[in-house]
Amino acid sequence: MFDTVLVANRGEIAVRVIRTLRSLGVRSVAVFSDADADARHVREADTAVRIGPAPAAESYLSVERLLEAAARTGAQAVHPGYGFLAENAGFARACADAGLVFIGPPAEAISLMGDKIRAKETVKAAGVPVVPGSSGSGLSDTQLADAAREIGMPVLLKPSAGGGGKGMRLVREAERLADEIAAARREARASFGDDTLLVERWVDRPRHIEIQVLADGHGNVVHLGERECSLQRRHQKIIEEAPSVLLDEETRAAMGEAAVQAARSCGYRGAGTVEFIVPGGDPSSYYFMEMNTRLQVEHPVTELITGLDLVEWQLRVAAGEQLPYKQGDITLTGHAIEARVCAEDPARGFLPSGGTVLRLHEPRGEGVRTDSGLSEGTEVGSLYDPMLSKVIAYGPDRETAIRKLRAALAETVTLGVQTNAGFLRRLLAHPAVVAGELDTGLVEREVDGLVSADVPEEVYEAAAAVRLEALEPRGEGWTDPFSVPSGWRLGGVPKPVGFHLRVQDPVEYVPRGSHTLTDDTVSVTLDGVRHTFHRAADWIGRDGDAWHVRDHDPVAASLTGARHAGADSLTAPMPGTVTVVKVAVGDEVSAGQSLLVVEAMKMEHVISAPHAGTVAELDVTPGTTVAMDQVLAVITPVENSAEEEK
């Protein structure tokens, strides 16, 4: 076993790897950018090295700086985690050239399976069924569009070099192909440095099933069962479980053997995942999608049902050990389910959010595990992936595991940053999820029923209670009655104290219940029902949901609105960076025309014209960093332009 291992990653996966290193008595080296100088993974490692400024390209994606950090600290091996350089064959080769062990598969396997086009051809030759799609690498936009039409709509555009849903585009109408191909190429280039695309037939209402494999350097390959990953948004998984209720023992064995053959076909070593698309109505008709040549985000559910530490076995295999078990020795016991807690706002279409973690509580206990990179004071920005933590529950059966996970998500408190924890809790209670009737489109079909458009009255009541507390006089002795927030007036009837508050739309709210406050909580009784919230600064939360309650100044708001009278302002839907500006002041635009692109946490959002008109103001250029709701441009409607000309 190694003495010292450098973890070439950040956040919850770095913390997770460090935990296993500590249990094995191996010294851990963390790396960090300027944005992560006080991050949890830095504090928990035995030593840490700064590798550059905040942008990933100058820090976590810098092979040179990572190798320098390894040399300075005497590391013998590098664990890449997932994301960043985890599936970068060049990094694996550079580690070997520097005399370091790369804790992952050989560079040749990464290169082969990282090219989705070559990967499909390789596993197909090994007898593994593949999804019908385009053939050949380096297809032009025209060739991709022609292949899509030949396959038949709808189709899925996929970057050849990447994963995690980045750059994937579902296209249902042929006339949208040109725009979607261009957008997919941009995202692929930004995420993976390679804009090569392929196109595949879209399977309606598919299930996403993946098989965990483990291979050593002595020719042994086993699979550790499957994971159900069908609950997704924007092609990215949000809830995963093991095993899948869809598969019977015969299908499980067949898919497992196909995954083993896929691993053998590329000379795999270490922990990896073979992903399949499965028609929900016919689970025996499964198709290979891709192989992830790294540890997966959802690996904890496999660990819980097999009793194996996958990071430990990555280390042991990399150190040259032989797997001590055959396929018949692998048993799956109980059920595990995981929820990815992300910095995003489900009510705004899952757009990335950001901020400072003001209050944090992460659930743990019997049958509950939280893998997290958070601590109070953590600054969540727009430079890195939005996933903050994972909450995992285990039970003897699926019903118990789901119940435990819902309870754990209700305990989860992350005030200061909007997350999807409450949404995930509601999703787990959806009848289709409870019944195991899943598919990759379920979340998007049901999202409206899982996201509340209205703010409960008790939220405003709790916010008003906090405001009232702030107005209470401090100290002893005589109290000026005008300073007491009681509504007292000389010679008149007390007038209730009201507050102008904003969560979504501005509201003038007069509290009408009773309140109890502590430093961490506020409880309100309204219509005989008691509601208790966690609180921190101007945030309150309960059951995984959180609300950012701000004071609203109607006078200032009306003055701001007057600035854009007769025009429509386009605002940033999320904190991020403007990457594309397609118009200039004075340009005439049509309704729905793409004007700007804002990128945050590896996600692009296109800003389109709400109506035909003229660009009256343009406040950003490519590279501009913007805050949520910041004005980007102002479009004067056509009718207003005509009036001004008169």
Side-chain angles (χ1 to χ4, degrees):
M1 184 51 65
F2 312 105
D3 293 324
T4 303
V5 172
L6 181 140
V7 184
N9 218 294
R10 66 180 296 277
E12 60 88 20
I13 182 54
V15 174
R16 160 73 189 93
V17 173
I18 290 167
R19 184 172 71 236
T20 289
L21 292 173
R22 185 181 300 114
S23 72
L24 295 174
V26 178
R27 179 169 169 261
S28 59
V29 179
V31 293
F32 63 93
S33 71
D34 289 343
D36 285 337
D38 192 40
R40 180 173 167 183
H41 76 278
V42 174
R43 297 197 304 269
E44 295 198 5
D46 293 306
T47 190
V49 180
R50 176 189 178 274
I51 53 170
E58 301 174 54
S59 52
Y60 296 107
L61 292 174
S62 173
V63 173
E64 180 182 1
R65 292 179 180 181
L66 290 166
L67 296 182
E68 287 175 356
R72 288 170 55 190
T73 56
Q76 300 155 307
V78 174
H79 194 300
Y82 40 69
F84 291 134
L85 295 172
E87 293 179 285
N88 186 297
F91 182 48
R93 292 190 186 97
C95 287
D97 292 343
L100 295 164
V101 175
F102 180 79
I103 301 173
E108 294 74 20
I110 297 174
S111 179
L112 175 57
M113 287 298 161
D115 182 335
K116 291 184 174 62
I117 297 167
R118 291 174 58 209
K120 286 178 65 176
E121 293 170 350
T122 300
V123 302
K124 184 178 181 180
V128 180
V130 300
V131 181
S134 59
S135 60
S137 185
L139 299 184
S140 67
D141 290 5
T142 300
Q143 290 171 320
L144 283 167
D146 289 344
R149 293 185 180 94
E150 183 178 342
I151 294 166
M153 311 302 286
V155 297
L156 189 64
L157 297 169
K158 298 174 67 173
S160 178
K166 307 300 183 185
M168 288 175 59
R169 298 274 172 155
L170 171 61
V171 189
R172 294 191 177 275
E173 293 135 13
E175 55 268 25
R176 294 288 304 161
L177 279 167
D179 287 344
E180 296 293 354
I181 288 171
R185 286 202 193 278
R186 273 200 312 273
E187 288 187 35
R189 193 181 309 116
S191 297
F192 314 115
D194 183 344
D195 66 359
T196 303
L197 301 179
L198 68 151
V199 60
E200 291 180 342
R201 175 186 297 164
W202 173 253
V203 180
D204 270 324
R205 299 218 170 189
R207 293 179 79 134
H208 185 142
I209 307 289
E210 61 188 30
I211 306 289
Q212 176 72 55
V213 295
L214 194 57
D216 63 23
H218 304 274
N220 301 303
V221 186
V222 296
H223 72 83
L224 307 181
E226 82 281 1
R227 295 186 287 257
E228 170 84 61
C229 305
S230 298
L231 292 175
Q232 305 177 4
R233 53 98 178 94
R234 295 196 308 267
H235 306 296
Q236 291 185 305
K237 308 161 191 172
I238 53 177
I239 289 178
E240 304 101 341
E241 59 183 300
S244 169
V245 297
L246 181 68
L247 305 188
D248 56 26
E249 288 299 328
E250 182 180 355
T251 307
R252 177 173 294 116
M255 289 182 69
E257 179 58 26
V260 167
Q261 292 306 316
R264 290 190 186 280
S265 73
C266 66
Y268 202 78
R269 184 181 67 239
T273 303
V274 181
E275 302 198 348
F276 295 91
I277 196 79
V278 183
D282 183 13
S284 63
S285 299
Y286 51 86
Y287 302 104
F288 170 88
M289 286 196 302
E290 62 187 21
M291 184 174 187
N292 290 295
T293 54
R294 54 173 167 80
L295 193 69
Q296 289 281 90
V297 173
E298 55 272 23
H299 74 273
V301 295
T302 296
E303 292 184 324
L304 289 172
I305 67 168
T306 61
L308 299 175
D309 183 327
L310 292 183
V311 174
E312 177 180 346
W313 277 105
Q314 284 187 297
L315 292 161
R316 292 191 180 280
V317 166
E321 291 190 27
Q322 185 172 339
L323 294 179
Y325 36 73
K326 303 297 182 183
Q327 190 61 58
D329 300 323
I330 305 298
T331 58
L332 311 181
T333 305
H335 200 95
I337 186 164
E338 169 184 294
R340 301 189 187 193
V341 178
C342 298
E344 62 185 19
D345 188 350
R348 296 171 66 113
F350 299 101
L351 291 175
S353 62
T356 301
V357 178
L358 305 173
R359 189 167 308 288
L360 179 69
H361 173 75
E362 296 177 320
R364 287 178 175 81
E366 184 179 355
V368 175
R369 163 179 164 180
T370 299
D371 286 8
S372 171
L374 292 179
S375 55
E376 289 189 0
T378 295
E379 185 71 30
V380 178
S382 61
L383 290 169
Y384 310 125
D385 192 89
M387 192 176 72
L388 305 176
S389 63
K390 304 174 307 195
V391 183
I392 313 104
Y394 173 80
D397 50 53
R398 186 171 186 267
E399 181 183 0
T400 302
I402 289 178
R403 185 170 63 249
K404 284 188 175 183
L405 183 54
R406 292 194 73 238
L409 288 169
E411 284 184 46
T412 301
V413 179
T414 314
L415 298 186
V417 179
Q418 191 63 255
T419 77
N420 62 342
F423 173 85
L424 295 173
R425 182 171 178 267
R426 289 186 289 277
L427 176 59
L428 288 166
H430 189 282
V433 175
V434 172
E437 298 170 355
L438 314 176
D439 66 80
T440 58
L442 187 150
V443 174
E444 292 181 8
R445 289 196 308 273
E446 302 296 329
V447 65
D448 290 343
L450 298 168
V451 176
S452 175
D454 300 320
V455 179
E457 184 182 4
E458 60 266 23
V459 170
Y460 288 110
E461 186 76 20
V466 173
R467 297 296 191 273
L468 281 169
E469 180 195 45
L471 294 175
E472 290 287 351
R474 308 294 182 191
E476 300 179 357
W478 181 81
T479 300
D480 181 352
F482 289 102
S483 70
V484 178
S486 63
W488 180 86
R489 292 186 297 171
L490 184 65
V493 178
K495 182 180 180 181
V497 176
F499 299 89
H500 290 282
L501 303 171
R502 183 186 186 97
V503 177
Q504 294 173 0
D505 297 325
V507 170
E508 183 177 4
Y509 187 81
V510 178
R512 60 185 184 85
S514 59
H515 321 120
T516 304
L517 293 95
T518 70
D519 290 341
D520 300 334
T521 65
V522 52
S523 296
V524 298
T525 301
L526 203 59
D527 298 326
V529 179
R530 185 178 179 84
H531 307 271
T532 299
F533 298 85
H534 301 277
R535 68 166 176 140
D538 51 359
W539 285 78
I540 57 176
R542 66 174 178 192
D543 294 339
D545 286 313
W547 296 270
H548 186 195
V549 186
R550 289 153 288 182
D551 291 320
H552 173 70
D553 186 336
V555 175
S558 82
L559 292 174
T560 301
R563 175 185 169 221
H564 299 311
D568 277 0
S569 59
L570 302 177
T571 59
M574 57 191 182
T577 302
V578 176
T579 56
V580 178
V581 177
K582 300 182 178 181
V583 292
V585 172
D587 285 358
E588 293 185 359
V589 298
S590 57
Q593 179 179 333
S594 173
L595 308 180
L596 307 156
V597 177
V598 178
E599 181 183 329
M601 297 178 177
K602 303 179 185 178
M603 172 189 169
E604 278 194 348
H605 189 86
V606 178
I607 310 296
S608 301
H611 48 241
T614 303
V615 180
E617 294 184 29
L618 184 64
D619 298 336
V620 294
T621 59
T624 301
T625 300
V626 296
M628 184 182 293
D629 297 327
Q630 179 177 329
V631 175
L632 307 176
V634 177
I635 309 300
T636 303
V638 170
E639 59 270 21
N640 286 11
S641 298
E643 279 298 320
E644 289 171 5
E645 290 175 5
K646 292 178 183 178

